[in-house]
Amino acid sequence: MAVIVWWCLLISSYIWYPFLMRLLAKNRSITQYSYFDKKDNLPAITIVMAVHNEEKVLAHKLQSVFASEYDFAKIRLLIGLDNCSDNSVGIVRDFQGKYPEQVSFVQTERLGKPGMLNHIFEHFQPESELTVFTDANVFFTKNTLYELAKYFKTEQMGLVDSKFLLSDDIVSHERENEYLNFEQGLKYNEGIAWGTMQGPFGGCFAIRTKLFIPIPDKFIVDDFFIGMSVMKQGYQAILNPLAIVIEEVHTTWKDEYRRKQRIAAGNFQNLKYFSSVLTKPFTALSMSWFFHKILRWILPVLLLPAILSGFVEFYCFGSGFVPSLITLILILGVVASLYILQRLTLQSRTIERLSYFIYINLALVQGFIIYIKGIQSNVWKPTQRK
């Protein structure tokens, strides 16, 4: 019985809920929200960026910022140099020399990204209406800033997320791209239907500055914390597919898996912190969070107990054996099939998709174990850049 319930919840999160969001968003557009025209008096923007040893991409990132088609006088860039030992400091100084009114920076000992974001807000106390959080390896297009600011004409708009594309020269996995596209489509529909888009892309998103709440100590997933904090204060969150950024990430499977583990551990931090949202179970915020995120976080952890309970149920009552056995055979069969196909240098899109699904959920389980053991630090090890 437990395994059947587990499968029903899994289908609810990955099939039923996305279908519902698509249905509710049908015949509706993001333009239902009030928006600024480029001729309007656009809000001032503070761009906040934490940097640790990003000399290989930093100049390109800053060039993309200052190539934006946005009122130059309304842009301010605050950079936190997090114990950089490469030429990142020199690059920032060069840009500060060119744009002294726009660029400010602070240097610290190693704080990690969440700690650095808190430090920047405390040190500079930005007064602009909007704040854009961004990473060094995420490059703006000329319209990114305008498209991020555009929908803040709606008074209750609290967060606007970007749509990220992978750079042309990236070596990436097709299944990863499929999943990311699926996620961005779901987030867009959530914003259109309910204004409760779950989990902004940490590489680039904008909020109303007044809504920023300091990130708790040792928290890992700062972007989700900021996004949920905005919505918990009663504001809306959407994804604007025209706010395009280009992400450059060159990583190995090992590095990517480690990153997913850390994100998973951070997800459980957020689950505990925002648990009070669930006390109002039938609001758009609680439902979107439950079906889009919480179920996906906890179901991998509950799979093994569900399978084992099926065998116990069979031993005690003579039922429940078949669902548990089928689930176990399916998982082991997918893993074995992928191994055989790789040895034979053959491909199967279905097997690859199922294997990727197992892969991301295994990372979630290990992330949960990290969380249970206790997270000692949120200082990150950046991905190697080309």
Side-chain angles (χ1 to χ4, degrees):
M1 183 65 179
V3 174
I4 295 175
V5 172
W6 187 92
W7 276 105
C8 289
L9 293 174
L10 185 76
I11 292 170
S12 295
S13 181
Y14 283 96
I15 298 178
W16 176 83
Y17 177 71
F19 175 77
L20 175 64
M21 287 299 99
R22 179 181 292 185
L23 190 65
L24 293 177
K26 188 177 181 180
N27 299 323
R28 301 174 69 179
S29 168
I30 193 173
T31 56
Q32 68 185 309
Y33 298 106
S34 300
Y35 58 91
F36 292 109
D37 189 86
K38 283 189 175 181
K39 298 178 295 183
D40 293 334
N41 183 25
L42 296 172
I45 292 177
T46 297
I47 301 169
V48 173
M49 182 165 60
V51 173
H52 174 70
N53 292 346
E54 295 284 12
E55 63 178 4
K56 294 182 180 180
V57 296
L58 187 54
H60 185 185
K61 171 53 179 270
L62 297 178
Q63 288 167 358
S64 76
V65 171
F66 290 110
S68 300
E69 292 185 353
Y70 203 87
D71 186 349
F72 203 68
K74 293 187 175 183
I75 299 175
R76 189 182 182 196
L77 181 58
L78 304 180
I79 301 173
L81 296 168
D82 193 6
N83 196 30
C84 294
S85 58
D86 63 358
N87 192 39
S88 294
V89 178
I91 294 170
V92 172
R93 288 188 186 276
D94 288 343
F95 274 86
Q96 187 185 49
K98 296 176 183 177
Y99 309 101
E101 299 299 321
Q102 277 72 39
V103 179
S104 301
F105 70 93
V106 61
Q107 299 183 69
T108 69
E109 296 300 317
R110 198 80 163 96
L111 296 178
K113 182 180 176 183
M116 179 56 78
L117 296 181
N118 288 341
H119 184 74
I120 290 173
F121 267 80
E122 181 180 357
H123 184 84
F124 292 107
Q125 297 182 348
E127 298 179 352
S128 62
E129 184 176 351
L130 305 181
T131 294
V132 171
F133 298 91
T134 189
D135 291 339
N137 67 313
V138 176
F139 309 127
F140 292 179
T141 65
K142 64 181 182 180
N143 288 319
T144 299
L145 288 180
Y146 165 67
E147 293 295 342
L148 286 173
K150 183 176 180 179
Y151 290 102
F152 283 97
K153 188 173 183 179
T154 299
E155 291 186 4
Q156 283 305 112
M157 188 60 64
L159 183 151
V160 176
D161 195 13
S162 63
K163 178 178 180 178
F164 68 95
L165 304 177
L166 298 177
S167 59
D168 293 336
D169 62 337
I170 191 172
V171 179
S172 58
H173 196 278
E174 185 179 354
R175 304 289 84 80
E176 178 88 4
N177 290 339
E178 288 179 347
Y179 184 75
L180 293 176
N181 289 334
F182 168 75
E183 273 293 285
Q184 289 191 105
L186 176 54
K187 291 178 181 181
Y188 174 76
N189 288 335
E190 282 178 328
I192 297 302
W194 285 345
T196 59
M197 185 218 58
Q198 291 292 311
F201 168 49
C204 184
F205 64 96
I207 70 167
R208 290 192 186 275
T209 304
K210 66 180 182 180
L211 301 178
F212 178 79
I213 294 176
I215 303 157
D217 186 40
K218 297 181 182 179
F219 261 48
I220 296 173
V221 187
D222 51 275
D223 49 350
F224 188 90
F225 176 85
I226 294 171
M228 183 60 83
S229 295
V230 166
M231 290 186 287
K232 193 177 179 183
Q233 293 176 71
Y235 286 79
Q236 295 171 316
I238 64 171
L239 184 151
N240 181 4
L242 296 181
I244 295 173
V245 293
I246 312 298
E247 182 185 18
E248 181 190 57
V249 178
H250 300 273
T251 184
T252 64
W253 274 110
K254 184 177 180 180
D255 288 339
E256 181 63 21
Y257 189 77
R258 188 182 300 114
R259 186 183 73 87
K260 291 184 184 300
Q261 284 180 317
R262 282 182 56 79
I263 291 174
N267 289 339
F268 288 103
Q269 289 178 313
N270 279 300
L271 177 55
K272 179 180 179 180
Y273 187 93
F274 292 108
S275 58
S276 61
V277 171
L278 297 176
T279 60
K280 298 179 180 179
F282 299 109
T283 63
L285 178 57
S286 64
M287 290 184 66
S288 60
W289 187 35
F290 179 77
F291 285 103
H292 187 170
K293 294 297 184 180
I294 294 179
L295 284 180
R296 296 188 187 186
W297 296 344
I298 66 173
L299 285 176
V301 177
L302 296 177
L303 176 58
L304 183 58
I307 291 175
L308 292 177
S309 70
F311 291 132
V312 171
E313 183 181 350
F314 175 74
Y315 178 79
C316 295
F317 306 107
S319 62
F321 178 76
V322 174
S324 294
L325 182 62
I326 291 176
T327 301
L328 192 59
I329 291 175
L330 176 62
I331 295 171
L332 296 177
V334 169
V335 174
S337 298
L338 180 65
Y339 175 78
I340 294 171
L341 289 172
Q342 289 178 337
R343 292 297 299 269
L344 297 175
T345 65
L346 299 175
Q347 289 184 318
S348 168
R349 182 169 295 183
T350 300
I351 294 298
E352 287 179 357
R353 286 173 174 168
L354 292 173
S355 299
Y356 177 78
F357 186 75
I358 293 172
Y359 158 81
I360 60 175
N361 282 280
L362 181 60
L364 270 165
V365 172
Q366 293 186 301
F368 176 73
I369 295 172
I370 293 171
Y371 168 73
I372 292 298
K373 288 182 176 179
I375 297 172
Q376 302 303 317
S377 173
N378 61 3
V379 175
W380 82 103
K381 181 181 179 181
T383 302
Q384 294 295 318
R385 312 295 187 205
K386 275 193 175 182

